[in-house]
Amino acid sequence: RQWTYQYCSQLAYLQTPGKATKPLRSANTTLPYWLDYCARIYGTKMSPKTESWNMRFGGKNPSVSNVIYTNG
């Protein structure tokens, strides 16, 4: 549930199907679907605040050292 809150409120890790090829995910999992999903779980409308997250941690160019990215 913590990961769900994080992607609903901060990270925007809302996976939608691709359009170029036949998607592996349901065509129904659109952005409005995920925003409604988050609202139903937490009882309030929310959208990810990616701008503040990226400013805090450096976005695509984080200023860090000694980091291992385990997701490739």
Side-chain angles (χ1 to χ4, degrees), residues 10-32:
Q10 299 168 339
L11 299 176
Y13 195 70
L14 310 171
Q15 297 183 14
T16 58
K19 293 181 176 137
T21 61
K22 185 174 181 178
L24 297 174
R25 301 185 193 302
S26 168
N28 297 327
T29 54
T30 60
L31 184 57

Side-chain angles (χ1 to χ4, degrees), residues 5 12 18 28 48 54 57 61:
Y5 182 79
N28 297 327
N54 286 336
F57 294 105
N61 300 304

Side-chain angles (χ1 to χ4, degrees), residues 6-68:
Q6 195 168 22
Y7 72 69
C8 283
S9 67
Q10 299 168 339
L11 299 176
Y13 195 70
L14 310 171
Q15 297 183 14
T16 58
K19 293 181 176 137
T21 61
K22 185 174 181 178
L24 297 174
R25 301 185 193 302
S26 168
N28 297 327
T29 54
T30 60
L31 184 57
Y33 166 86
W34 286 114
L35 295 176
D36 182 59
Y37 171 82
C38 294
R40 284 183 284 128
I41 289 176
Y42 296 104
T44 185
K45 286 187 174 188
M46 58 174 41
S47 62
K49 307 289 187 261
T50 55
E51 296 84 13
S52 60
W53 185 267
N54 286 336
M55 284 181 57
R56 180 175 179 186
F57 294 105
K60 292 182 181 181
N61 300 304
S63 164
V64 296
S65 60
N66 297 320
V67 175
I68 297 174

